[in-house]
Amino acid sequence: MKYINAESAFPQRLVDEMQQYVEGGWVYVPARRHSRKAWGERSGSKEALKRRNAEIRRRFCEGHSIERLSSDYGLAYDTVKKIVYSKK
């Protein structure tokens, strides 16, 4: 995040208005909700985890043990257990 001087970014009337609330302080202006992407959407991590978890569930349904899946995917036993017993 980059610091921007309000006087160079906003009209003077808006700067005057903001100074009534915060004078000489820092103000964070969040991005619009529709322009923000959820975790993992840009990099594809979210989709990759969905595919991995679906594969783990499928293999569990085929008879693979939680211990085996834990070893194959390098995940903790409890993590695999949460994946296979979740309702997703």
Side-chain angles (χ1 to χ4, degrees):
M1 188 169 20
K2 184 177 160 188
Y3 166 81
I4 299 172
N5 188 322
E7 290 182 329
S8 67
F10 303 113
Q12 188 58 47
R13 63 179 167 64
L14 184 53
V15 173
D16 293 340
E17 181 76 20
M18 289 190 299
Q19 286 172 332
Q20 291 180 23
Y21 301 96
V22 180
E23 189 171 356
W26 294 79
V27 177
Y28 171 73
V29 180
R32 292 183 180 140
R33 289 199 185 271
H34 66 276
S35 67
R36 294 183 71 187
K37 296 201 179 241
W39 174 88
E41 287 182 347
R42 278 191 207 148
S43 66
S45 298
K46 187 175 189 175
E47 198 56 41
L49 285 177
K50 266 177 134 175
R51 283 192 305 271
R52 181 205 66 186
N53 291 351
E55 185 177 316
I56 290 171
R57 283 188 204 92
R58 179 185 55 76
R59 289 183 61 196
F60 180 73
C61 287
E62 291 172 353
H64 293 267
S65 69
I66 293 176
E67 293 88 358
R68 169 83 187 266
L69 294 168
S70 175
S71 174
D72 289 352
Y73 289 93
L75 297 171
Y77 179 91
D78 287 340
T79 301
V80 174
K81 191 173 163 183
K82 285 178 189 175
I83 292 168
V84 298
Y85 292 121
S86 70
K87 294 186 180 191
K88 292 185 178 180

